Amino acid sequence: MNEKQTALIFKAFCDENRVRILKSLRSGEKCACKLLAELNITQPTLSHHMKILCDSGVVVGRKDGKWMHYSISRDGAKVATDLLNDLTAAQSGCTDKSCCEK
């Protein structure tokens, strides 16, 4: 995965409203109307946040009539978890000692 795709995933977690949305979706799929009521935000604000969450792959949406229903993507969540683990894994020492010499 390249840096741009990685940044899209982590952008999803970098806003308190998106974190609140993710916490709400932990209990299962929710209609946008339910999220609007729970979060007390406007529809354009919810749409903005849901686009970022869906673009990241962490959330998926499905249309049912005039409403969108959202849920956490288990595959997307696994990708995000694996990325975080990979990015924060300790590497074994410096392999190019010439940069460390005085």
Side-chain angles (χ1 to χ4, degrees):
M1 183 165 292
N2 67 36
E3 288 81 10
K4 185 171 184 156
Q5 292 167 316
T6 300
L8 277 176
I9 290 171
F10 288 107
K11 180 179 181 179
F13 301 105
C14 293
D15 180 90
E16 66 184 74
N17 282 320
R18 290 192 290 273
V19 171
R20 289 171 57 208
I21 291 166
L22 288 168
K23 284 182 173 182
S24 179
L25 294 176
R26 288 186 302 185
S27 62
E29 182 181 77
K30 292 213 172 141
C31 177
C33 61
K34 183 82 166 173
L35 291 169
L36 285 169
E38 284 180 16
L39 301 170
N40 195 28
I41 57 176
T42 65
Q43 189 278 324
T45 299
L46 179 65
S47 291
H48 167 75
H49 290 304
M50 296 317 295
K51 178 172 179 9
I52 292 169
L53 287 165
C54 288
D55 286 350
S56 76
V58 174
V59 170
V60 292
R62 69 171 183 85
K63 192 163 179 74
D64 184 16
K66 72 174 194 170
W67 290 106
M68 287 295 292
H69 296 262
Y70 296 100
S71 60
I72 293 174
S73 164
R74 294 297 159 209
D75 291 340
K78 181 170 179 0
V79 168
T81 300
D82 291 347
L83 267 174
L84 181 59
N85 287 333
D86 185 55
L87 286 171
T88 58
Q91 300 282 322
S92 59
C94 180
T95 58
D96 180 12
K97 298 296 182 189
S98 64
C99 69
C100 303
E101 295 175 1
K102 291 185 180 186

